[in-house]
Amino acid sequence: MARLTALLFLPVLIESAFSISFFLPVNTRKCLREEIHKDVLVTGEYEISEQVVTVHTSSTVVGDGSIFKITDSSSHTLYSKEDATKGKFAFTTEDYDMFEVCFESKCTGRVPDQLVNLDMKHGVEAKNYEEIAKVEKLKPLEVELRRLEDLSESIVNDFAYMKKREEEMRDTNESTNTRVLYFSIFSMFCLIGLATWQVFYLRRFFKAKKLIE
C-alpha cells in the first residue's frame, strides 16, 4: 500500500489550547503544525485506539504499531514514542518556531482505522495552577491573580511580537521600494543614453550617405 502523508495546518490563535480527534488509516502519516513563541511551556496528552468494528473474515496484521513524534522546523526531535498508545508530553520552546506533531501507523494488512485523540496546551493553559498553589501556599484569590498576570503577560508578548513583525515588514517594504526607485532611475538613464546614441549614430549615418548636411 502506498504511503500517504497529510498535513493539517493550524494558524496562530489567541487560544492556547486545542483538542482534536481523527482516524489514522493503516500505513498513513498525519501531522499537525503550529507556531509557538519562545520560552513557552507546552503540555499535552494523546491516546491512540482502534476503531470498534465487526470483522467477519480473518485478517493478518503486520507492523510495529503507531509512532508519535514532535519535531521543530530543524527536524530536532522534542518527543518521540514508538508503539504509542497513550501518554503525556511536555517541553519548553527555546525559540519562536513551527512545531510539528505527527502520528504514523506502521501496521499493514486488513485492520480498522485507529482513532487518535490529542489534547495540547501551551502558555497559560499549560501551567498547573493547583500545583503552584500547593507549593507556594497561595489562596484562591492569589491563584486567580497569578493566572490573570500570566495571561496579561502572554497578551503583551503577543502584541510585542506582532509589532516586531509589522516593523520588519515595513522595513522590507521600504527597502523594496528604494530598490525599485533606484532601478527605475537607472533604467531611465539607460534609455536616455540609448536614445542619445541613436540620434548621433543616425546623424552620422545620414551624413555619410549625404542625405543631410
Side-chain angles (χ1 to χ4, degrees):
M1 180 181 293
R3 183 173 179 174
L4 303 176
T5 303
L7 296 180
L8 305 176
F9 295 91
L10 300 179
V12 178
L13 302 176
I14 296 178
E15 293 84 357
S16 56
F18 71 87
S19 297
I20 188 172
S21 298
F22 57 88
F23 288 108
L24 183 65
V26 174
N27 198 28
T28 301
R29 184 172 183 261
K30 287 190 176 182
C31 296
L32 300 95
R33 291 178 177 176
E34 185 174 11
E35 295 179 348
I36 304 178
H37 293 289
K38 180 181 179 180
D39 296 328
V40 174
L41 175 64
V42 180
T43 63
E45 298 182 19
Y46 65 91
E47 183 176 0
I48 305 174
S49 59
E50 290 186 355
Q51 183 182 2
V52 179
V53 296
T54 302
V55 182
H56 299 285
T57 59
S58 60
S59 60
T60 302
V61 180
V62 180
D64 299 325
S66 300
I67 298 176
F68 175 58
K69 182 181 291 187
I70 302 177
T71 57
D72 57 17
S73 60
S74 300
S75 298
H76 295 151
T77 301
L78 303 175
Y79 180 89
S80 180
K81 177 70 174 180
E82 295 186 2
D83 198 16
T85 55
K86 185 177 181 181
K88 299 181 180 180
F89 60 89
F91 63 91
T92 301
T93 59
E94 297 181 356
D95 200 358
Y96 178 84
D97 203 350
M98 175 75 75
F99 296 88
E100 186 176 71
V101 181
C102 293
F103 294 87
E104 183 175 1
S105 173
K106 287 292 186 179
C107 295
T108 59
R110 290 190 173 185
V111 294
D113 295 348
Q114 293 177 299
L115 177 61
V116 178
N117 295 305
L118 175 64
D119 184 11
M120 189 171 176
K121 301 177 181 179
H122 59 80
V124 177
E125 292 295 331
K127 293 184 178 181
N128 190 342
Y129 286 95
E130 294 182 358
E131 189 66 25
I132 294 176
K134 292 179 181 179
V135 173
E136 300 185 11
K137 298 180 180 180
L138 300 177
K139 297 180 180 179
L141 181 58
E142 293 175 331
V143 174
E144 190 63 28
L145 290 175
R146 174 70 67 85
R147 187 194 304 271
L148 292 175
E149 181 182 359
D150 293 341
L151 180 60
S152 300
E153 183 179 358
S154 176
I155 294 174
V156 170
N157 292 336
D158 288 341
F159 276 107
Y161 172 75
M162 288 188 288
K163 181 180 179 181
K164 180 182 178 181
R165 288 292 298 270
E166 188 273 335
E167 291 175 352
E168 292 176 352
M169 294 179 63
R170 185 178 65 249
D171 293 341
T172 301
N173 290 334
E174 291 177 354
S175 176
T176 303
N177 292 336
T178 302
R179 293 179 181 179
V180 171
L181 176 62
Y182 288 155
F183 180 76
S184 300
I185 294 174
F186 174 76
S187 300
M188 183 178 63
F189 278 113
C190 288
L191 291 175
I192 293 174
L194 180 61
T196 303
W197 175 81
Q198 286 180 335
V199 169
F200 284 103
Y201 176 80
L202 292 175
R203 184 178 179 86
R204 288 196 303 269
F205 176 79
F206 289 141
K207 280 186 175 181
K209 297 295 184 178
K210 298 181 180 181
L211 297 176
I212 60 174
E213 296 181 358

